[in-house]
Amino acid sequence: MKKVVSLFVALTLTLSLGLAFSSCGEQADYTVGICQLMEHESLDKATNGFIDALTAELRKAGKTVSFDRQVAGEANYCSVVVNALLAKDVDLLMANATPALVAAAEATATVPVLGTSVTDYADTFKGNIPANVTGTSDAVPFADQAQMMIDTLGLVAGDLVGVLYCANESNSLVQYNAVKALFEEKGITVKAYTFSDVATELQALVNSAASECKAIYVPSDNTVADNDTVVGTICEQKKIPVFTSYGGSICYASLAIDYYQLGYETGKMAAEILLGTKTVADFDIQTLTPSVVYNETLCNLLGIEVPEK
């Protein structure tokens, strides 16, 4: 049963870009709806990459596209956004982040839905990905991430690593379970620090984690990423290194993907679907090869040696 959201204040979501690349007011050949969970750097990059790629690929084919881009703000409003987009008869939906993807899949079984910034599609849909859904995943090799932390921080058996994530994001739980198993193979203890409400829980939780742990791991969690200045400020004061799965300024190092490129690949997939050269069924979920990034300023502050390039 689809979730009904009551009283959404005057659909303040209407942040539509309305990017039509046809001239003289002519109607575009295709209209694409974009539901983005929230505004923050990684998701914004993915959406911009998607728009750039799809526009460029369709232009090569002599076609134009307009975008209706809306930001839900929080998970509960994604279904409102998606249904508003579907009411406009969009030709394709791009869902940026897991809650947006779930809302889109629940709302339509016929309109193509492409996800991006989603970690685990199989887990999200309990092993049964809908036939009209495909896209790109921001998953990275958890074993490589865990080993990178062990090597750069000199973690040993008995050390405690905290994993910080929002309990409302199912993909974060997948990542927590993965890194927990990998660290525990080395005898390193892992503790989950979970929250639901940013305003009332996050600061106290991060203070606890930074007081108890030798290091903190943050998965590709949209809620944490949107509030990671809180995490970074506290951990920097307490000289506790933070490793994030998505990159960003608070991490001393990361093994992460480029979210603009992730969105770009999604846009290329969308172009082939709209042009009819491929169908949703022709695409497996695609991933990118991550790259290693060190924040040398933060590493110096924390006394972490940056490997020579």
Side-chain angles (χ1 to χ4, degrees), residues 94-166:
M94 193 276 266
N96 193 344
T98 304
L101 180 65
V102 170
E106 288 179 346
T108 180
T110 55
V111 175
V113 174
L114 268 65
T116 194
S117 312
V118 175
T119 303
D120 192 324
Y121 286 71
D123 177 78
T124 296
F125 295 108
K126 297 178 172 56
N128 187 24
I129 302 173
N132 65 320
V133 172
T134 190
T136 57
S137 166
D138 59 6
V140 293
F142 300 121
D144 293 345
Q145 288 189 330
Q147 193 61 51
M148 186 175 175
M149 288 185 70
I150 291 169
D151 293 341
T152 55
L153 300 178
L155 298 176
V156 296
D159 284 339
L160 177 63
V161 172
V163 181
L164 175 68
Y165 65 94
C166 178

Side-chain angles (χ1 to χ4, degrees), residues 75-301:
N76 289 339
Y77 296 149
C78 286
S79 60
V80 177
V81 170
V82 166
N83 283 308
L85 292 170
L86 289 172
K88 299 176 184 180
D89 293 324
V90 295
D91 298 295
L92 181 143
L93 281 172
M94 193 276 266
N96 193 344
T98 304
L101 180 65
V102 170
E106 288 179 346
T108 180
T110 55
V111 175
V113 174
L114 268 65
T116 194
S117 312
V118 175
T119 303
D120 192 324
Y121 286 71
D123 177 78
T124 296
F125 295 108
K126 297 178 172 56
N128 187 24
I129 302 173
N132 65 320
V133 172
T134 190
T136 57
S137 166
D138 59 6
V140 293
F142 300 121
D144 293 345
Q145 288 189 330
Q147 193 61 51
M148 186 175 175
M149 288 185 70
I150 291 169
D151 293 341
T152 55
L153 300 178
L155 298 176
V156 296
D159 284 339
L160 177 63
V161 172
V163 181
L164 175 68
Y165 65 94
C166 178
N168 299 327
E169 297 206 26
S170 61
N171 280 184
S172 295
L173 177 60
V174 172
Q175 295 172 76
Y176 165 70
N177 288 330
V179 296
K180 181 175 187 289
L182 292 162
F183 279 122
E184 289 182 344
E185 286 178 4
K186 309 287 186 179
I188 297 166
T189 304
V190 176
K191 180 178 178 180
Y193 292 85
T194 64
F195 65 95
S196 297
D197 189 285
V198 171
T200 62
E201 298 177 78
L202 183 58
Q203 187 168 351
L205 190 70
V206 176
N207 268 305
S208 295
S211 298
E212 297 169 358
C213 300
K214 187 165 182 179
I216 293 174
Y217 173 90
V218 179
S220 299
D221 187 290
N222 296 302
T223 307
V224 177
D226 194 40
N227 297 276
D228 66 4
T229 53
V230 175
V231 181
T233 299
I234 293 171
C235 291
E236 187 173 324
Q237 289 172 350
K238 293 180 179 288
K239 300 292 192 293
I240 300 300
V242 177
F243 185 104
T244 76
S245 188
Y246 58 86
S249 61
I250 72 166
C251 59
Y252 78 90
S254 66
L255 181 66
I257 53 95
D258 181 333
Y259 277 84
Y260 177 87
Q261 192 60 41
L262 191 74
Y264 201 92
E265 293 302 318
T266 315
K268 289 166 64 176
M269 296 166 70
E272 293 194 79
I273 291 168
L274 289 174
L275 292 170
T277 57
K278 288 187 179 180
T279 68
V280 170
D282 293 323
F283 288 104
D284 293 328
I285 305 303
Q286 297 187 18
T287 59
L288 297 183
T289 301
S291 57
V292 175
V293 177
Y294 283 90
N295 182 332
E296 295 192 18
T297 301
L298 195 51
C299 284
N300 289 336
L301 177 68

